[in-house]
Amino acid sequence: MISFLLDVEDLADTRFAISPLREVMGSLRALRAPGLYPLHRPWRESVLAGLDPADARLLAALVGPTLVLPDFLTPRPTTFAPTIDDQLAVVRATPTEVVRRDLTAVHAPGPLPDALRAVTAPGDDLQAELCDVLRRYWESALLPSWPRMRLVLEADITHRARQLATGGAHLLFADLHPNLRWDGGVLRVHKMIGRHHVDGSGRGLRLVPSLFAHKPAPPVSAEEPPMLAYPSRGTATLWEPVPEPDSSALSALLGAPRTTVLRLLAEPLPTVEIARRLGVTPSAVSQHLKVLHATGLVTRARDGRRVLYRRSALGDQLVPRQATFAR
């Protein structure tokens, strides 16, 4: 059991945060132990198919045999939603002796895997190499889905904040996970491999929802300030197919003329060409393009004396993919 002694100052400084690096490291657990993460199976299969073998070996070695994660790779967020670059900068600044200590701790009592022994040799720029690999993995495995993931995490935080406001710490911790117990100013995390007690000492508590957590996960070391990653609500909805946009609903939202223009802009086109294809005046098209551009649904770029318009990424999401238009 791991426990946190939280005084009034700690409770007053209890905050939620979203951690991209925590999701990176948690997702490596899902790659290592798919049986614990059945909801992520489609994602796992697609990620493994595209991983570089050398990167895959090093990434797998960052997770201990009991799925413990090194503390230096799950730093406590200092803001509500740091970027992955913010957090990798913290990793780069970690002293080398701390990096080696944490990696050794998660693999104890066994030796370091070969992939880690190769990068922890004296003289190697260990932090830089790890950050480069983690950055590549983030870009290929999580970044494409990050907007959707972040929405789920933010929805969880909204729910938890409401619990804290209406029922205090008792309601919040009672609902986070069955392994948590809150009593007499002590938050106990049961069914943990580690056994230690952490005094908050006014450092506050960080609560970090994770889509790749199957149970609460505090830091490994008793020296780390209080932090707890916990399973996020809504994980089951994460990989559900996104329904195709409804053409009639889009027309109701934008109006039929602007919807028609937006559909046409799957390729870059100038105003006069849009007008020709639709059989309307260029001035009428210009008015619609002005509104669509102002709302971020189309982008524009100059090509010599012409201005070309095209749907933005947001516009692409609104237009049904099956819609096609003849010239």
Side-chain angles (χ1 to χ4, degrees), residues 3-23:
S3 59
F4 297 115
L5 176 61
L6 305 174
D7 60 19
V8 174
E9 289 188 12
D10 293 313
L11 287 177
D13 193 22
T14 294
R15 307 183 198 179
F16 292 90
I18 292 172
S19 172
L21 188 53
R22 176 78 210 188
E23 295 307 274

Side-chain angles (χ1 to χ4, degrees), residues 64-293:
T66 58
L67 303 184
V68 175
L69 301 175
D71 285 338
F72 82 97
L73 290 177
T74 55
R76 188 164 103 149
T78 56
T79 61
F80 172 70
T83 66
I84 188 67
D85 291 324
D86 293 335
Q87 295 194 292
L88 289 178
V90 174
V91 173
R92 289 181 188 274
T94 305
T96 301
E97 60 270 20
V98 174
V99 174
R100 293 196 171 103
R101 180 202 68 192
D102 286 358
L103 291 174
T104 300
V106 300
H107 287 283
L112 287 177
D114 291 342
L116 282 181
R117 285 204 296 269
V119 300
T120 55
D124 285 350
D125 192 349
L126 174 58
Q127 294 89 326
E129 182 162 356
L130 290 178
C131 286
D132 289 345
V133 172
L134 290 169
R135 177 75 199 193
R136 288 196 295 271
Y137 174 74
W138 157 263
E139 290 177 351
S140 64
L142 295 185
L143 181 58
S145 302
W146 183 243
R148 191 172 180 183
M149 295 171 70
R150 177 163 172 163
L151 283 176
V152 176
L153 295 171
E154 288 181 347
D156 175 89
I157 290 174
T158 299
H159 173 77
R160 305 299 180 186
R162 187 180 302 114
Q163 287 184 315
L164 185 61
T166 58
H170 282 285
L171 177 59
L172 172 65
F173 294 128
D175 191 57
L176 275 183
H177 196 272
N179 289 1
L180 296 179
R181 295 289 185 275
W182 170 253
D183 182 51
V186 178
L187 178 62
R188 295 179 173 86
V189 189
H190 293 274
K191 299 183 180 180
M192 300 299 300
I193 296 175
R195 297 284 188 274
H196 59 255
H197 181 80
V198 178
D199 192 333
S201 301
R203 294 175 293 177
L205 172 66
R206 295 298 175 272
L207 297 171
V208 182
S210 175
L211 297 163
F212 294 96
H214 65 286
K215 64 179 182 179
V220 175
S221 172
E223 299 176 8
E224 295 292 322
M227 181 176 71
L228 190 68
Y230 65 88
S232 172
R233 291 162 48 94
T235 301
T237 68
L238 184 60
W239 308 121
E240 289 180 349
V242 178
E244 287 288 347
D246 185 332
S247 297
S248 60
L250 184 60
S251 295
L253 176 66
L254 299 178
R258 286 174 190 155
T259 299
T260 303
V261 172
L262 188 63
R263 286 173 170 173
L264 195 60
L265 292 177
E267 59 179 313
L269 293 173
T271 303
V272 291
E273 177 61 16
I274 299 171
R276 185 190 70 79
R277 295 190 188 186
L278 298 180
V280 297
T281 64
S283 61
V285 171
S286 294
Q287 291 300 315
H288 295 315
L289 289 172
K290 182 178 180 180
V291 173
L292 293 172
H293 181 264

